[in-house]
């Protein structure tokens, strides 16, 4: 990673390239089930990785956890609102650039001390967008548009703080000035859902966030799910299928795959662990995050071992 953090070139494919690649895909109902470590090998150094869910709701935490264990480099990571997983990506030395609209474990714990340290010491490029602007950029990527004309952020100073200059245009119909948001087509999207079949048809409950757009915009989708169900069960409630199989490259069954965050209908956030982590970083900052990484990310044998270590493997304490 360069010390001055000049913009590094990320391997984000253009839309026409994505269309050509999609046309060559096997669109049959093939089995995509694999292990968590195997699925994370689909992420390459320098990739743009988009993360589903929002704050500490339906975060693909197991996928992030395993990816960080594989120690990728020079990633661009984007998410609408970043939570605990963002600290771990930074403390793990995985990220060159972070794009988000807010960065902190959650409102009650305040802003991230790990991000502050990285920004103040020029160890990461940080772009703070508005919530809606990131959603519009993912939506443009999903629709196959190079940009999205919008009024989002106009009249604010947020665009002035971004590293890249945003273009404007005059609407040919109304004559109004519009801000043009560039499409985001991530190399890989990580998404966690309540249920999916082995082909990648996914159904999720609760708030949808931006996950459907992420799946349609990304070149590859790694799907973790609380449980894999039979395709016949998917077909019985086909109107609940939010992510279609043709967008998905890997399906991993990971019970409690959003822990310590919540997964609607399955478990609430594990606040005790989140409180402990916040106390550690509040006291020791990046040093505290690094100590947590050694113990809870690199130390466990696998995801189930992590859950046992963090006492999140049982339905206790009102968390399930």
């Amino acid at each position: 990673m360069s010390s001055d953090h000049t913009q590094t070139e990320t391997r984000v494919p253009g839309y026409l390239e994505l269309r050509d690649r999609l046309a060559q895909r096997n669109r049959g109902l093939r089995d995509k089930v694999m292990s968590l470590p195997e699925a994370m090998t689909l992420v390459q150094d320098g990739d743009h990785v988009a993360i589903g869910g929002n704050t500490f709701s339906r975060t693909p935490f197991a996928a992030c956890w395993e990816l960080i264990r594989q120690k990728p480099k020079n990633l661009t990571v984007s998410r609408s609102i970043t939570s605990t997983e963002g600290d771990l990506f930074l403390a793990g030395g995985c990220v060159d650039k972070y794009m988000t609209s807010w960065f902190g474990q959650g409102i009650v714990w305040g802003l991230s001390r790990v991000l502050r340290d990285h920004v103040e010491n020029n160890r990461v490029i940080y772009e703070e967008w508005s919530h809606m602007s990131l959603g519009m950029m993912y939506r443009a990527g999903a629709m196959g548009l190079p940009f999205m004309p919008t009024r989002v952020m106009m009249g604010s100073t947020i665009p002035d703080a971004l590293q890249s200059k945003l273009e404007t245009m005059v609407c040919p119909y109304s004559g109004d000035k519009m801000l043009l948001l560039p499409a985001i087509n991530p190399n890989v999207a990580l998404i966690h859902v309540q249920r999916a079949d082995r082909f990648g048809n996914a159904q999720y409950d609760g708030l949808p966030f931006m996950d459907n757009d992420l799946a349609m915009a990304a070149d590859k989708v790694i799907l973790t799910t609380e449980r894999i169900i039979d395709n016949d069960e998917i077909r019985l409630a086909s109107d609940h299928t939010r992510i279609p199989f043709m967008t998905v490259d890997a399906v991993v069954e990971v019970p409690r795959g959003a822990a310590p965050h919540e997964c609607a209908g399955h478990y609430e956030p594990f606040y005790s662990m989140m409180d402990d982590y916040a106390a550690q970083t509040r006291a020791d900052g990046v040093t505290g995050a690094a100590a947590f990484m050694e113990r809870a990310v690199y130390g466990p044998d696998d995801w189930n071992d992590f859950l046992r270590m963090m006492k999140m493997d049982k339905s206790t304490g009102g968390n399930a």
Side-chain angles (χ1 to χ4, degrees), residues 83-95:
S83 183
T84 325
E85 79 289 340
D87 276 13
L88 305 187
F89 272 113
L90 292 178
C94 305
V95 182

Side-chain angles (χ1 to χ4, degrees), residues 288-301:
F292 177 86
M293 295 277 290
E294 289 301 321
R295 177 171 63 94
V297 178
Y298 303 127
D301 294 332

